[in-house]
C-alpha cells in the first residue's frame, strides 16, 4: 500500500484552514461575511506571532538534540518584557536600546543554560527548569510588587495596529523573522552544524564540529530569541505582570512538535513551528469563542494535542 | 579517600551525593530551628514532605525507564478533587476508604492512558504527558470548578496524629515503598526496566518486552501520583483543582538531585526520595532564615541550581588536577 505523504508543516496548515472554515458555521461564527472572516483570520495569525517567535529558540535547541529543550523561555519572556517596559517609559527613542538590552539579557541567560548543560553535564530539562526558577526570582526582586513604565507609541502602532493593506505589523515582522530563521537554518554553517549535532554528536565531533561551542551558541541564541519574543509581547499587551510569559512555555514546545520537528533532534524546520503556532492559537481562540467553561476547554485542548501528535509525532518503531 | 574510590562509590550508590546534601540541609535547618528534632516537628515535616516524596518515586520509575511524566500533577489534582467533592467534610470514614480505592483506580487508569500513548503508539513522552496533563487538569477542574469541599476532620487527624512507636506515619509509607522497590529491583522486572532505560533498541533485540515495561512505568507513576494525591488531601483537608500544578516539575528536580540520570537506566528511588526531602528542606530553611520575602524565590532557585551543578563542578575540578 502506498502511503500518502504530506509534510507536517503543510498538514498543520491544512488543518488550520479547515478548522477555521468550519468555525464559520458556528452560531457566532463569521457565516458568509467575508470581511469578518478576513478580520478574524488576520487576528488569529497576529496572535500566533508571539507564540511563533517565542517558539523559535525552542526550535533551535530541540533540533540540537541530546534531549535539548528550553524550559526557561517563559521566564525569559517575562523578564525581558518587564525590562523593555521599564526602560522605554513611553519614549520612542529608547526602543532601539531596549531591543539591544533584551537580546543581551536573553542571550546571557541562555549562555548560563549552555554552560551548565555543556560543561557541568546537567540535563537540559533540569538545567533550564532551574534557570526558569532563578529568572522568576529575579523578576520578583525587580518587580517588588509593581513596576512603573510604559510601552512606546511606536511599538503599539507597529506591533498591534495594521500597517499596510490592513495587515498588522506583527505579521510582517513575523514573515521577515521567518525568512531570517530559514536562512539561519538552511543557508549558514551554523544551521548545517546544528542539524549535524542533532543527528549524532560523536560523528559531528569527528567531522570537525566544535560541539561544546555549538551548544553554547544554540542556547545563547535561544535565549536571545526569547528576549525578542518578550519585547514583541509587551508591545502587544502594553502591560506587564510576573506570569506574562508562562502561558507560552509549554505551547512553544507543542508548536515545535506539531510542526513536525523531531523532539529527539536533528530534523525539523521553522516553517513547521510557524504553522504549529498558528494551529495551536487557532484552536485556543476557537475554544474561547465557543464560550466553553475552562475545564472543557482544557480537556479539548489536551485531546486535540494528543490527536495531532498521534498523526505524525510517532517515533521510529522498535522493530526495524 | 582517593578519586577513583569515590567515583566507584557514587556509581554503586547514586544517592550518596543527595545524602550529603540532605545532611547539610538538616544541619542548617536544625541550627535555624532549635525545635527541629522534637518528635512533633519531625512528624510535621515528614507529613508535609510525603506527597512530593511519593510523586518523586513514580517519576523516578518513569525516568529510569527512559521516559518522563509531566502529568503527575494533574493526576494528583483529580484524586484531590474526587475526595474533596465525593466524601465531603461530613462524610463517614467508610465512605472515605471507598473513594480512596476509587482514587487509586483513577490513578491506574490515568497512568494506563499515558502508557498507551507513549509505549504502544510510540509518541514522545514529554509532549504526550503534557497533553494528557491538560486533559487531567481539565477533568479536575470539571469535578471541582472552585476550591472548596473537604474530607472529614477525623481522617486528616488520623494522618496528622498517627505515630506508631513514636515514628511518623510518613516513615512507614516510605519504608514500605522502599521494600517494594527492593523486591522489584532484584526481580526480572527490575533488570528489564534498567535495560529499557539504558537503551530500548538493544533491550528489544535481546528479547525484553520493551512496550510492556514502558507501559508499566507510567502505570506505576499514575498509581504513585494517586497515593500522593490521597496524602495531599489528608494533609490539606480540602480540595483545589490546581493543587498539583506546582508539584510536577518539582518531582523531576527531586529525581535528578537524587542522582537518577535524566537519560534513564541509572539510579534508583532512594535518591529521589532524599532529593524530594532536600528540596522541601531548602524551602523550610529559607522561611526560617528571615530572608526578605522578595528574595525567597530567587534564593531557593539559586540553591537548587548550585546543588544541580555541584557534581559536575567537582568532576571538572578533579579533571583539572589529574
Amino acid at each position: 500500500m502506498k502511503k500518502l505523504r504530506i509534510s507536517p508543516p503543510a498538514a498543520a496548515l491544512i488543518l488550520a484552514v479547515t478548522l477555521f472554515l468550519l468555525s464559520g458555521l458556528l452560531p457566532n461564527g463569521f457565516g458568509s461575511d467575508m470581511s469578518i472572516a478576513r478580520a478574524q483570520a488576520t487576528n488569529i495569525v497576529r496572535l500566533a506571532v508571539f507564540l511563533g517567535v517565542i517558539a523559535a529558540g525552542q526550535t533551535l535547541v530541540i533540533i540540537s538534540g541530546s534531549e535539548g529543550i528550553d524550559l526557561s523561555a517563559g521566564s525569559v519572556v517575562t523578564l525581558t518584557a518587564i525590562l523593555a517596559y521599564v526602560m522605554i517609559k513611553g519614549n520612542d527613542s529608547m526602543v532601539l536600546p531596549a531591543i539591544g538590552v533584551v537580546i543581551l539579557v536573553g542571550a546571557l541567560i541562555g549562555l548560563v543554560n549552555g554552560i551548565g548543560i555543556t560543561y557541568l553535564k546537567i540535563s537540559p530539562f533540569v538545567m533550564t527548569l532551574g534557570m526558569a526558577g532563578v529568572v522568576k526570582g529575579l523578576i520578583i526582586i525587580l518587580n517588588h510588587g509593581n513596576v512603573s513604565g510604559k510601552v512606546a507609541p511606536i511599538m503599539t502602532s507597529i506591533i498591534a495596529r495594521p500597517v499596510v493593506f490592513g495587515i498588522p505589523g506583527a505579521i510582517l515582522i513575523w514573515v521577515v523573522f521567518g525568512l531570517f530563521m530559514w536562512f539561519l537554518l538552511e543557508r549558514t554553517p551554523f544551521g548545517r552544524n546544528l542539524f549535524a549535532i542533532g543527528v549524532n554528536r560523536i560523528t559531528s565531533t569527528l567531522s570537525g564540529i566544535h560541539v561544546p561551542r555549538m551548544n553554547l551558541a544554540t542556547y545563547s541564541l535561544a535565549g536571545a530569541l526569547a528576549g525578542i519574543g518578550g519585547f514583541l509581547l509587551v508591545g502587544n499587551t502594553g502591560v506587564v505582570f510576573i506570569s506574562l510569559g508562562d502561558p507560552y512555555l509549554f505551547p512553544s514546545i507543542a508548536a515545535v512538535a506539531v510542526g513536525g520537528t523531531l523532539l529527539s533532534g536533528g530534523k525539523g524546520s521553522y516553517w513547521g513551528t510557524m504553522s504549529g503556532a498558528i494551529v495551536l492559537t487557532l484552536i485556543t481562540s476557537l475554544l474561547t469563542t465557543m464560550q466553553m467553561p475552562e475545564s472543557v476547554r482544557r480537556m479539548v485542548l489536551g485531546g486535540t494535542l494528543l490527536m495531532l501528535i498521534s498523526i505524525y509525532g510517532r517515533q521510529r518503531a522498535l522493530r526495524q | 579517600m582517593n578519586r577513583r574510590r569515590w567515583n566507584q562509590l557514587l556509581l554503586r550508590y547514586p544517592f550518596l551525593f543527595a545524602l550529603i546534601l540532605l545532611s547539610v540541609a538538616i544541619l542548617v535547618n536544625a541550627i535555624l530551628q532549635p525545635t527541629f528534632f522534637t518528635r512533633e516537628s519531625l512528624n510535621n515535616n515528614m507529613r508535609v514532605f510525603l506527597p512530593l516524596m511519593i510523586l518523586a518515586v513514580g517519576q523516578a520509575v518513569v525516568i529510569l525507564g527512559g521516559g518522563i511524566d509531566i502529568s503527575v500533577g494533574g493526576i494528583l489534582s483529580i484524586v484531590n478533587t474526587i475526595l474533596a467533592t465525593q466524601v465531603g467534610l461530613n462524610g463517614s470514614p467508610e465512605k472515605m476508604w471507598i473513594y480512596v480505592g476509587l482514587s487509586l483506580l483513577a490513578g491506574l487508569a490515568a497512568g494506563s492512558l499515558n502508557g498507551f500513548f507513549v509505549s504502544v503508539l510510540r509518541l514522545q513522552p514529554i509532549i504526550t504527558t503534557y497533553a494528557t496533563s491538560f486533559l487531567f487538569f481539565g477533568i479536575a477542574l470539571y469535578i471541582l470548578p472552585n476550591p472548596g469541599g473537604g474530607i472529614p476532620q477525623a481522617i486528616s487527624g488520623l494522618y496528622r496524629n498517627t505515630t506508631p512507636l513514636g515514628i511518623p506515619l510518613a516513615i512507614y509509607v516510605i519504608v514500605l515503598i522502599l521494600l517494594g522497590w527492593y523486591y522489584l529491583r532484584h526481580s526480572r522486572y527490575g533488570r528489564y526496566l534498567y535495560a529499557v532505560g539504558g537503551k530500548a533498541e538493544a533491550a528489544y533485540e535481546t528479547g525484553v518486552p520493551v512496550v510492556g515495561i514502558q507501559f508499566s512505568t507510567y502505570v506505576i507513576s499514575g498509581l504513585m501520583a494517586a497515593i500522593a494525591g490521597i496524602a495531599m488531601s489528608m494533609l490539606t483537608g480540602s480540595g483545589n483543582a490546581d493543587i498539583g500544578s506546582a508539584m510536577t516539575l518539582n518531582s523531576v528536580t527531586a529525581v535528578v538531585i537524587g542522582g537518577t540520570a535524566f537519560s534513564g537506566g541509572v539510579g534508583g528511588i532512594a535518591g529521589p526520595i532524599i532529593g524530594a526531602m532536600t528540596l522541601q528542606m531548602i524551602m523550610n530553611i529559607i522561611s526560617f532564615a528571615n530572608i526578605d520575602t522578595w528574595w525567597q524565590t530567587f534564593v531557593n532557585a539559586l540553591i537548587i541550581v548550585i546543588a544541580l551543578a555541584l557534581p559536575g563542578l567537582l568532576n571538572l575540578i578533579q579533571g583539572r588536577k589529574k
Side-chain angles (χ1 to χ4, degrees):
Chain A
M1 193 182 84
K2 202 180 157 200
K3 261 191 175 168
L4 185 65
R5 284 237 170 260
I6 304 176
S7 76
L13 265 189
I14 293 170
L15 180 80
V17 173
T18 320
L19 270 178
F20 180 73
L21 292 179
L22 283 176
S23 77
L25 304 174
L26 289 173
N28 54 358
F30 50 78
S32 54
D33 192 337
M34 279 325 282
S35 63
I36 295 181
R38 201 186 116 112
Q40 274 187 12
T42 314
N43 198 39
I44 284 163
V45 177
R46 190 180 71 85
L47 287 176
V49 172
F50 309 104
L51 177 57
V53 172
I54 294 165
Q58 202 69 260
T59 313
L60 295 183
V61 295
I62 287 177
I63 289 176
S64 83
S66 293
E67 296 160 351
I69 198 160
D70 186 0
L71 296 185
S72 66
S75 304
V76 172
V77 165
T78 312
L79 179 70
T80 50
I82 292 177
L83 282 178
Y85 186 76
V86 172
M87 269 187 74
I88 291 171
K89 285 198 170 56
N91 198 341
D92 277 350
S93 61
M94 285 302 285
V95 168
L96 277 180
I99 293 180
V101 167
V102 296
I103 290 179
L104 209 69
V105 169
L108 212 66
I109 295 167
L111 183 66
V112 177
N113 280 332
I115 290 172
I117 292 161
T118 315
Y119 295 113
L120 303 181
K121 312 272 184 254
I122 306 172
S123 75
F125 189 98
V126 190
M127 180 66 209
T128 54
L129 176 61
M131 273 311 277
V134 172
V135 174
K136 182 124 240 182
L138 280 178
I139 293 167
I140 294 175
I141 296 169
L142 263 178
N143 222 8
H144 234 94
N146 58 333
V147 285
S148 65
K150 199 174 188 309
V151 294
I154 188 172
M155 284 167 74
T156 319
S157 59
I158 290 182
I159 296 171
R161 305 260 161 76
V163 178
V164 278
F165 307 124
I167 300 172
I171 297 180
L172 297 176
I173 293 174
W174 201 23
V175 171
V176 176
F177 187 82
L179 284 172
F180 164 76
M181 287 296 291
W182 167 81
F183 186 78
L184 182 73
L185 283 173
E186 305 290 338
R187 289 290 180 273
T188 62
F190 172 82
R192 223 171 18 249
N193 293 349
L194 187 69
F195 283 107
I197 68 169
V199 174
N200 190 328
R201 296 210 163 178
I202 295 170
T203 51
S204 309
T205 310
L206 292 177
S207 49
I209 299 173
H210 196 293
V211 175
R213 204 180 294 153
M214 269 304 290
N215 221 17
L216 289 182
T218 309
Y219 279 91
S220 309
L221 195 56
L225 291 174
I228 296 177
F231 177 83
L232 289 178
L233 189 61
V234 74
N236 183 53
T237 57
V239 288
V240 289
F241 44 95
I242 58 169
S243 58
L244 180 67
D246 295 356
Y248 290 93
L249 173 57
F250 274 103
S252 76
I253 302 164
V256 175
V258 168
T261 297
L262 284 185
L263 290 190
S264 46
K267 186 166 179 266
S269 68
Y270 185 62
W271 301 127
T273 304
M274 286 173 95
S275 37
I278 293 176
V279 174
L280 289 183
T281 312
L282 176 69
I283 295 171
T284 323
S285 54
L286 278 187
L287 289 172
T288 315
T289 45
M290 283 157 83
Q291 293 172 331
M292 293 204 188
E294 173 72 17
S295 56
V296 179
R297 220 153 63 196
R298 287 202 199 180
M299 284 190 255
V300 175
L301 195 61
T304 324
L305 202 53
L306 272 179
M307 238 165 55
L308 282 176
I309 50 178
S310 302
I311 298 171
Y312 46 70
R314 297 180 63 172
Q315 295 160 293
R316 275 184 318 146
L318 284 164
R319 183 167 37 205
Q320 291 299 314
Chain B
M1 196 185 327
N2 67 38
R3 171 161 170 255
R4 190 191 256 152
R5 180 90 192 286
W6 166 249
N7 281 346
Q8 273 174 353
L9 266 178
L10 258 188
L11 207 62
R12 186 123 188 235
Y13 307 104
F15 56 84
L16 215 56
F17 182 76
L19 205 57
I20 296 172
L21 219 58
L22 179 66
S23 313
V24 174
I26 290 178
L27 199 72
V28 177
N29 205 333
I31 293 171
L32 289 171
Q33 182 194 7
T35 58
F36 181 77
F37 282 114
T38 61
R39 188 182 286 181
E40 192 178 345
S41 138
L42 279 180
N43 184 31
N44 268 342
N45 276 334
M46 289 308 294
R47 198 161 52 95
V48 176
F49 294 173
L50 188 63
L52 185 64
M53 287 158 91
I54 301 174
L55 214 56
V57 168
Q59 189 69 262
V61 174
V62 176
I63 289 179
L64 276 176
I68 188 167
D69 190 350
I70 306 283
S71 73
V72 289
I75 301 174
L76 192 148
S77 281
I78 291 183
V79 167
N80 176 249
T81 52
I82 289 178
L83 291 176
T85 54
Q86 302 304 313
V87 182
L89 280 167
N90 303 315
S92 63
E94 291 77 37
K95 206 172 172 195
M96 175 76 189
W97 301 126
I98 292 173
Y99 279 101
V100 161
L102 273 177
S103 299
L104 295 178
L105 286 180
L108 288 175
S112 307
L113 188 76
N114 283 331
F116 171 76
F117 279 110
V118 173
S119 66
V120 180
L121 290 187
R122 298 199 48 70
L123 303 183
Q124 288 155 338
I126 189 169
I127 196 75
T128 307
T129 52
Y130 167 62
T132 56
S133 82
F134 260 93
L135 209 62
F136 298 156
F137 275 116
I139 293 172
L141 211 56
Y142 187 77
I143 299 175
L144 183 70
N146 296 306
I151 61 165
Q153 292 261 321
I155 302 285
S156 27
L158 198 69
Y159 181 66
R160 187 167 52 240
N161 300 325
T162 311
T163 52
L165 303 174
I167 299 168
L169 180 66
I171 303 271
Y172 289 93
V173 178
I174 293 303
V175 168
L176 220 70
I177 291 177
L178 280 174
L179 283 178
W181 170 251
Y182 186 81
Y183 171 76
L184 267 188
R185 170 81 185 83
H186 294 282
S187 67
R188 181 185 291 177
Y189 176 84
R191 282 199 303 280
Y192 282 173
L193 176 65
Y194 280 82
V196 170
K199 193 154 180 51
E201 285 84 2
Y204 184 83
E205 307 255 307
T206 51
V208 175
V210 174
V211 172
I213 296 288
Q214 283 179 340
F215 185 86
S216 73
T217 60
Y218 289 93
V219 176
I220 291 176
S221 167
L223 183 67
M224 287 298 156
I227 298 175
I230 295 165
M232 196 68 183
S233 308
M234 289 182 173
L235 176 70
T236 61
S238 64
N240 182 352
D242 212 31
I243 197 162
S245 60
M247 296 178 74
T248 305
L249 295 176
N250 274 345
S251 73
V252 180
T253 313
V255 170
V256 175
I257 282 195
T260 294
F262 194 76
S263 46
V266 180
I269 67 160
I273 292 175
I274 298 171
M277 273 178 85
T278 313
L279 274 187
Q280 299 183 91
M281 204 80 92
I282 294 172
M283 271 185 255
N284 263 4
I285 291 172
I286 287 171
S287 65
F288 275 112
N290 276 328
I291 294 173
D292 187 39
T293 326
W294 302 110
W295 284 78
Q296 286 189 357
T297 312
F298 179 72
V299 175
N300 187 20
L302 202 62
I303 294 176
I304 292 172
V305 170
I306 292 171
L308 289 170
L310 266 182
L313 272 178
L314 292 179
N315 256 345
L316 273 189
I317 295 167
Q318 283 177 337
R320 282 279 150 71
K321 268 194 210 143
K322 198 171 62 174

